[in-house]
Amino acid sequence: MSSARVDYIAPWWTYWLHNFPHINLRLQPIDNSFQPEEENYQQSLIFLGCVAAAGLGLNLLCLAIYLSCLCCCQKDEEEESKKPNSCCVTWSAVAAGLITCIAVGVGFYGNSETNDGVYQLTYSLYNANHTLGGVDSLVTGTMGNMRSGLHQHLARLDEIFSTRGDYVQTLQFMQQMADNVIKQLLGLPDWEEAKVDLASIADQTANMEYYRWLTYLLLLILDLIICLLACLGLAKQSRWLLTTMMVFGVLTLVLSWTSLGADLATAVGTSDFCVSPDKFLLSQTKGVIGSDIVHYYLYCNQTLSNPFQQPLTIFQRSLTTMQIQIQGLLQFAVPLFPTAERDLLGIQHVLNSSEASLHQLTALLDCRGLNKDYLDAMVGVCYDGVEGVLYLCLFSTLAACAFTVMLCAIPRAWRQIACRERDYDDIDEEDPFNPRARRMASQNPNLTNMHSFCSYSSSMGSQNSLHPPAPAVSNAPVSEYMNQAALFGGNPRHENVPLIGRGSPPPSYSPSMRATYLSMTEEQIRHFGNDFQA
């Protein structure tokens, strides 16, 4: 264990973060030593959060400029210009989805690593607290036995042995030995204050970590849901869903930058501690525990002497001397004073229990137990904890990029959907080849006065009763005949095939065909209708 502590080196990422510029709010460089109680050091961590806030402001400004340019620029409504825009929106949505999935995966891993590191820290603190509590309990119990139990037995034996001066001197010597034991126990550090601080730190850390872990879990789920709903809105071309996801995307973008600032400040502050933790612990325990004792537990090597060796040795020798005296009194005094046997056995029981407490106290005060807890806490914080926080910083950065791309793609998609609906609304309601008109006719068969001479829906009922008509010869002039053939597709081979026999409605036609059709006179339409019925 001692070699493990001597060879302990903070991970490279802690040195990298430790070398980050430490600047207070007055833009003055400060010392990068871990001093959380100093105002300048606190301002240096707040400055890192301000950097993330500046990044958020710049991101929102770029989005605002992009949206302004998008709204001000005139959109080319030619068919050739629509295809590249659609591809751009599609690939932007795919890129945003992929980046979001990667970010969520990294975030889950970082959240788990951070939680594992903090759990290892709190577990080590609770173990150290249990060790210090056991030391304090043993010291308090041994001193209580020496002061109360042993003193009562010696007082009664002093009355019994009042006629024997040598026995009375033996009792006085034993009292001196008991006082010496109490004096050595009082020389040990008072662990009560340190024990309470460790327990309080562990409880507060565990509570903060629980809410931090839950907050990031909800943020990860929120990012994933927003990404999925945005993709669903693009697929279904739902403008209200895209608008809602755009609002939530801006909110998530703000949360991503906020979490980035908080994680960056936490990572830098923790790294400052991990680079030189012994200095901070020595400063915190100054005046409560001696520096030699702190060094003994932090380094735990053979070159350092045990600061408890002398008091524990005196304790052991005093107990051994008292047990020898009790054995002599039991051998020589009990035959003369039978009533003294009970008190002598009581003293022997107190000495035996004190010796058992001495062995437990020696084991608990050994540096290996507390040093192991210290190393476990350092590994949990500096390795798993800081590494997890760095992954969370990466998650926040990727999430901010993903939602920036998404916020750029959604307005384009929203505008394309609006243009398509506007073009759809511009189609004539009375156009016989308009899909909307055919749907209205199928839903309301009473509309028989529509100006459509080849309505597919009106002919469905009579389709089974009609036989394929014989080829009809039109009496119209050749030029008019060819115009009519060009009107319905430009293929003269199918001009005499009735629309009822085709089994499907005729497709819509282009705007140029629509203009040609509207330019026809009512007489031409009526003439062609009569010819078609014939």
Side-chain angles (χ1 to χ4, degrees):
M1 180 60 67
S2 61
S3 61
R5 180 59 187 94
V6 172
D7 296 337
Y8 171 77
I9 299 176
W12 63 267
W13 53 81
T14 59
Y15 287 100
W16 177 63
L17 292 170
H18 178 67
N19 292 327
F20 270 30
H22 289 63
I23 303 174
N24 59 13
L25 297 180
R26 293 183 294 274
L27 302 181
Q28 298 174 351
I30 64 170
D31 186 18
N32 57 359
S33 300
F34 184 68
Q35 299 173 347
E37 68 279 355
E38 293 292 334
E39 182 179 0
N40 286 330
Y41 185 80
Q42 295 174 1
Q43 290 182 3
S44 67
L45 298 182
I46 296 174
F47 180 80
L48 296 176
C50 294
V51 171
L56 172 62
L58 183 62
N59 193 351
L60 294 178
L61 179 61
C62 293
L63 283 175
I65 295 175
Y66 171 79
L67 294 178
S68 300
C69 295
L70 186 64
C71 294
C72 295
C73 294
Q74 295 293 333
K75 181 184 177 183
D76 188 6
E77 297 183 356
E78 297 274 333
E79 187 68 23
E80 292 81 8
S81 65
K82 291 180 181 180
K83 293 181 180 179
N85 290 337
S86 300
C87 294
C88 179
V89 172
T90 301
W91 284 110
S92 298
V94 171
L98 290 177
I99 297 175
T100 302
C101 293
I102 296 174
V104 170
V106 172
F108 271 111
Y109 178 77
N111 198 29
S112 177
E113 283 292 302
T114 305
N115 184 258
D116 291 341
V118 176
Y119 174 79
Q120 191 170 353
L121 169 64
T122 55
Y123 184 78
S124 300
L125 290 176
Y126 283 127
N127 280 343
N129 178 71
H130 183 267
T131 300
L132 298 180
V135 171
D136 185 73
S137 177
L138 289 173
V139 171
T140 304
T142 303
M143 291 176 59
N145 290 333
M146 289 291 177
R147 286 175 176 175
S148 61
L150 186 62
H151 179 73
Q152 293 176 2
H153 290 300
L154 290 177
R156 285 195 294 267
L157 288 175
D158 187 66
E159 295 178 357
I160 296 173
F161 296 151
S162 59
T163 58
R164 295 293 301 266
D166 52 346
Y167 293 161
V168 172
Q169 290 180 359
T170 301
L171 295 177
Q172 292 176 356
F173 180 74
M174 292 178 62
Q175 183 64 50
Q176 291 177 1
M177 292 293 102
D179 293 340
N180 194 19
V181 170
I182 293 175
K183 180 180 179 180
Q184 298 303 321
L185 292 177
L186 289 175
L188 297 177
D190 186 9
W191 301 102
E192 184 65 26
E193 184 177 356
K195 178 178 73 69
V196 172
D197 289 341
L198 286 180
S200 177
I201 292 173
D203 291 336
Q204 293 178 3
T205 305
N207 291 332
M208 292 175 61
E209 170 57 21
Y210 171 75
Y211 289 110
R212 186 211 62 80
W213 174 84
L214 183 61
T215 301
Y216 267 98
L217 183 63
L218 295 177
L219 181 60
L220 291 168
I221 296 174
L222 178 64
D223 288 355
L224 194 59
I225 291 176
I226 291 176
C227 180
L228 292 177
L229 291 180
C231 293
L232 180 63
L234 290 174
K236 297 183 69 67
Q237 298 185 356
S238 175
R239 286 193 294 173
W240 71 268
L241 185 57
L242 291 178
T243 304
T244 305
M245 291 304 102
M246 189 170 182
V247 174
F248 279 100
V250 173
L251 176 62
T252 309
L253 186 65
V254 174
L255 292 178
S256 298
W257 280 101
T258 303
S259 63
L260 177 61
D263 291 336
L264 184 60
T266 303
V268 172
T270 308
S271 298
D272 293 339
F273 168 76
C274 293
V275 169
S276 56
D278 49 352
K279 295 181 180 180
F280 175 74
L281 294 177
L282 284 172
S283 64
Q284 292 297 310
T285 56
K286 186 177 181 180
V288 180
I289 303 174
S291 59
D292 56 338
I293 298 176
V294 178
H295 276 93
Y296 172 69
Y297 286 113
L298 291 181
Y299 299 102
C300 191
N301 51 40
Q302 298 178 355
T303 60
L304 296 175
S305 60
N306 188 348
F308 308 109
Q309 186 64 41
Q310 182 178 358
L312 292 177
T313 302
I314 295 175
F315 189 3
Q316 177 67 47
R317 292 176 180 175
S318 300
L319 289 178
T320 303
T321 303
M322 293 172 68
Q323 287 177 346
I324 293 174
Q325 297 297 325
I326 290 297
Q327 289 293 336
L329 291 176
L330 286 172
Q331 183 177 0
F332 298 105
V334 170
L336 300 176
F337 304 94
T339 57
E341 182 179 6
R342 179 179 179 183
D343 291 315
L344 291 174
L345 292 176
I347 293 175
Q348 190 178 37
H349 177 71
V350 171
L351 295 177
N352 290 335
S353 63
S354 298
E355 186 176 8
S357 298
L358 173 63
H359 294 307
Q360 296 179 13
L361 188 61
T362 303
L364 291 176
L365 290 176
D366 188 79
C367 66
R368 288 174 293 181
L370 288 176
N371 183 256
K372 181 181 182 302
D373 295 332
Y374 169 72
L375 289 179
D376 291 342
M378 292 300 300
V379 169
V381 172
C382 301
Y383 282 83
D384 295 338
V386 177
E387 182 184 5
V389 173
L390 287 178
Y391 277 110
L392 290 178
C393 291
L394 180 60
F395 152 72
S396 300
T397 304
L398 292 176
C401 294
F403 283 101
T404 299
V405 175
M406 183 181 298
L407 291 175
C408 292
I410 288 179
R412 283 186 172 273
W414 195 92
R415 189 170 183 177
Q416 288 182 8
I417 295 172
C419 291
R420 291 174 184 174
E421 292 184 355
R422 185 172 60 251
D423 294 340
Y424 188 74
D425 292 337
D426 289 340
I427 299 176
D428 190 1
E429 294 291 341
E430 297 182 357
D431 186 356
F433 297 148
N434 181 10
R436 180 180 297 178
R438 292 198 299 268
R439 287 197 300 267
M440 293 176 60
S442 63
Q443 295 174 1
N444 191 359
N446 295 327
L447 299 176
T448 58
N449 296 327
M450 180 179 294
H451 298 284
S452 175
F453 52 84
C454 55
S455 176
Y456 174 78
S457 61
S458 62
S459 62
M460 290 296 294
S462 60
Q463 184 176 358
N464 297 328
S465 60
L466 292 177
H467 298 285
V473 179
S474 174
N475 295 326
V478 177
S479 60
E480 182 179 351
Y481 176 81
M482 296 304 295
N483 289 335
Q484 294 168 358
L487 175 64
F488 293 99
N491 191 351
R493 293 179 297 174
H494 301 285
E495 78 281 0
N496 57 350
V497 180
L499 298 179
I500 298 176
R502 294 182 183 180
S504 62
S508 299
Y509 46 86
S510 63
S512 60
M513 294 175 61
R514 177 174 177 268
T516 305
Y517 170 71
L518 293 178
S519 63
M520 295 176 63
T521 61
E522 290 292 335
E523 182 179 357
Q524 289 174 326
I525 297 175
R526 243 186 343 268
H527 179 74
F528 183 79
N530 294 333
D531 180 70
F532 180 78
Q533 291 177 0

